[in-house]
Amino acid sequence: MNKPVSKAILQRLPAYLGYLRTLPAQTENISATGIAAALSMGEVQVRKDLALVSGAGRPRLGYPVQALREDLEHFLGCDDVVHAVVIGAGKLGRALLDYNGFESFGVKIVAAFDNNEKTLGETKTGKMVFPMAKFPDLCKRLKVHIALLTVPADCAQEVCNELTENGILAIMNFAPVHLQVPENVLVQNENIAPALAVLSRHLAEQLAHMI
Amino acid sequence: MNKPVSKAILQRLPAYLGYLRTLPAQTENISATGIAAALSMGEVQVRKDLALVSGAGRPRLGYPVQALREDLEHFLGCDDVVHAVVIGAGKLGRALLDYNGFESFGVKIVAAFDNNEKTLGETKTGKMVFPMAKFPDLCKRLKVHIALLTVPADCAQEVCNELTENGILAIMNFAPVHLQVPENVLVQNENIAPALAVLSRHLAEQLAHMI
DNA sequence: TAGATTGTTAATCGATTAACAATC
DNA sequence: TAGATTGTTAATCGATTAACAATC
């Protein structure tokens, strides 16, 4: 299929694509140097990353914006849309459900599931929140393999088991617990505690400098 | 002050702390081996990380849970609480504002700011949403140096500038744009696009295997 | 004592960075 | 042609892993 790309590189590619999309439509070419400057990255790193994904680079000119964007989109699978569901329709869950920024990366959130009757029904963007009992059936019918898990920590593992038993192969986990999953299932943790730790420590250092 | 710890290590420490907090109160000792198994990590890595933070490990016994927890909490600065604000009171912003899981990591969200009049006032957990105009004054009076930025992408940089001009030193950025900040300010990006890219690719590989 | 676990020292692995030839 | 940029090859750097002595 595709060349093997490390996780570190894979995580940077969406940033390049996002930047290209902010460029004015008439911009014809963009250099790795330019992208690096805009994203505060090393230009060699950008160049090496792009070389893995696109062969459209031309010495002296850089990359044609449109070709590079298409190559990135193709590589990241933005072309063929996959379906995802949100599990847990609390504030965070509903924010994810109504956020439409994922579609440009090839992921479409089709529905949410929750056990709380109060949250059931249609959201203002027209997406449905179903009772959890309907998950197994709908998951198969809608061919969903990605779940965004936003349930409380104390039931996250239990719900996670139900997901993997019904064909979910990739989970974005917002609950602050480590999930045990079968080998072929990938969990991507989106806890903000680690990020917070980094911020908090940086702050302590900055404030210490000021004294 | 404290020993220098790489960002990679720093990001793992909250996971250890979180796991210790889930242990039953009567658990006296825990080994690096045990923690590693629970979090699906390498035991040598866990042991090395813990050695940087605590000296309470005893051969044969492992770590006394309480001592290790205190050492981690101290290292991560969970003791002295710092104040943070949310900028942008949309669904995500309000979810962050009302989420109380940060306090156990030493960060207390004290208020939110927004320009939309409809969102102003008190939330159901008693936190206030102020108009953005009050930010400079309140930021100084409340000694806030951390901001969680959840405004739309198209005004994120502009708002970011206002933050750094008023004493913000650390920003958790949820907007899908790269922020330009002064050298002493740290931006921690919490975009889920990169995470999504990883999931999406894993899924493509898994589905390819099945054919 | 025996055995499990810690913590450290050395080896490996991978990612980033630097240097440079190729090219438009 | 001259110069900027690409893409590749080699060097460096840092993090992870393995091996092992110390210890309770």
Side-chain angles (χ1 to χ4, degrees):
Chain A
M1 269 206 334
N2 260 317
K3 307 149 205 164
V5 158
S6 79
K7 195 173 162 181
I9 295 171
L10 185 55
Q11 305 237 46
R12 288 195 293 267
L13 300 181
Y16 304 144
L17 178 55
Y19 173 65
L20 294 184
R21 286 173 174 166
T22 67
L23 293 176
Q26 66 269 28
T27 315
E28 293 211 353
N29 294 292
I30 183 81
S31 68
T33 318
I35 295 176
L39 301 179
S40 313
M41 298 172 71
E43 63 170 300
V44 184
Q45 187 172 65
V46 174
R47 195 169 296 128
K48 224 174 175 184
D49 288 348
L50 295 185
L52 289 170
V53 170
S54 177
R58 292 286 166 268
R60 183 85 227 248
L61 295 172
Y63 286 82
V65 175
Q66 199 190 335
L68 180 57
R69 198 175 59 206
E70 282 167 9
D71 287 338
L72 276 166
E73 285 171 348
H74 178 70
F75 190 91
L76 291 172
C78 303
D79 310 327
D80 28 31
V81 174
V82 296
H83 289 177
V85 292
V86 170
I87 312 293
K91 269 203 214 75
L92 176 58
R94 296 172 89 84
L96 292 166
L97 188 59
D98 285 341
Y99 179 62
N100 57 11
F102 304 130
E103 295 200 23
S104 62
F105 287 95
V107 174
K108 180 173 183 176
I109 299 183
V110 292
F113 295 88
D114 198 303
N115 262 336
N116 184 346
E117 282 190 17
K118 287 179 193 163
T119 67
L120 304 185
E122 208 165 310
T123 69
K124 67 168 187 243
T125 61
K127 302 237 175 109
M128 279 295 287
V129 180
F130 295 104
M132 202 58 205
K134 294 205 171 168
F135 174 73
D137 179 46
L138 279 174
C139 186
K140 266 152 208 154
R141 275 170 45 201
L142 298 173
K143 294 198 176 66
V144 172
H145 299 288
I146 297 182
L148 288 68
L149 188 61
T150 70
V151 302
D154 53 19
C155 64
Q157 181 63 59
E158 190 187 340
V159 175
C160 169
N161 295 342
E162 199 178 341
L163 301 184
T164 55
E165 283 160 15
N166 287 286
I168 293 295
L169 292 169
I171 298 173
M172 198 177 286
N173 174 35
F174 292 86
V177 290
H178 175 78
L179 299 174
Q180 305 282 354
V181 293
E183 206 182 358
N184 62 330
V185 175
L186 180 69
V187 176
Q188 190 79 0
N189 288 300
E190 283 292 312
N191 299 344
I192 59 180
L196 213 57
V198 177
L199 286 191
S200 187
R201 173 149 281 259
H202 167 81
L203 183 60
E205 281 166 17
Q206 283 298 318
L207 294 177
H209 278 212
M210 288 179 185
I211 297 169
Chain B
M1 272 208 330
N2 261 317
K3 308 148 206 164
V5 158
S6 79
K7 194 172 163 182
I9 296 171
L10 184 55
Q11 305 237 46
R12 288 194 295 265
L13 299 181
Y16 303 145
L17 178 54
Y19 174 65
L20 294 184
R21 285 175 174 163
T22 68
L23 293 175
Q26 65 269 27
T27 315
E28 295 210 352
N29 294 292
I30 183 81
S31 68
T33 319
I35 296 176
L39 301 180
S40 314
M41 300 172 70
E43 63 170 299
V44 184
Q45 187 172 65
V46 174
R47 196 170 293 128
K48 225 176 175 184
D49 289 347
L50 296 185
L52 289 171
V53 170
S54 177
R58 293 284 167 269
R60 185 82 227 252
L61 295 170
Y63 286 82
V65 175
Q66 199 189 335
L68 181 56
R69 199 175 57 207
E70 284 167 7
D71 287 338
L72 277 166
E73 285 171 349
H74 177 69
F75 189 91
L76 292 173
C78 303
D79 309 328
D80 27 33
V81 174
V82 295
H83 289 178
V85 291
V86 171
I87 311 293
K91 269 204 214 78
L92 176 58
R94 297 173 88 85
L96 292 167
L97 187 60
D98 285 342
Y99 179 62
N100 57 11
F102 305 129
E103 296 200 23
S104 63
F105 288 97
V107 175
K108 181 173 182 175
I109 298 182
V110 292
F113 294 87
D114 200 303
N115 263 336
N116 183 347
E117 282 190 15
K118 287 179 191 162
T119 67
L120 305 185
E122 208 165 310
T123 69
K124 65 168 190 246
T125 62
K127 302 239 175 107
M128 279 295 287
V129 180
F130 295 103
M132 203 56 206
K134 294 206 172 169
F135 173 73
D137 180 48
L138 279 172
C139 186
K140 267 153 207 155
R141 275 170 45 199
L142 298 173
K143 294 197 176 65
V144 172
H145 299 288
I146 297 181
L148 287 70
L149 188 62
T150 69
V151 301
D154 54 20
C155 63
Q157 181 61 58
E158 191 187 340
V159 174
C160 170
N161 296 342
E162 199 179 340
L163 301 183
T164 56
E165 282 160 16
N166 287 286
I168 292 296
L169 293 169
I171 297 173
M172 199 177 284
N173 174 36
F174 292 86
V177 289
H178 175 78
L179 299 174
Q180 304 282 354
V181 293
E183 206 183 357
N184 63 330
V185 174
L186 180 70
V187 175
Q188 190 79 0
N189 288 301
E190 282 292 313
N191 299 344
I192 58 181
L196 212 58
V198 176
L199 286 191
S200 187
R201 173 148 281 256
H202 167 81
L203 183 62
E205 281 166 15
Q206 282 297 317
L207 293 178
H209 279 211
M210 288 179 184
I211 297 167

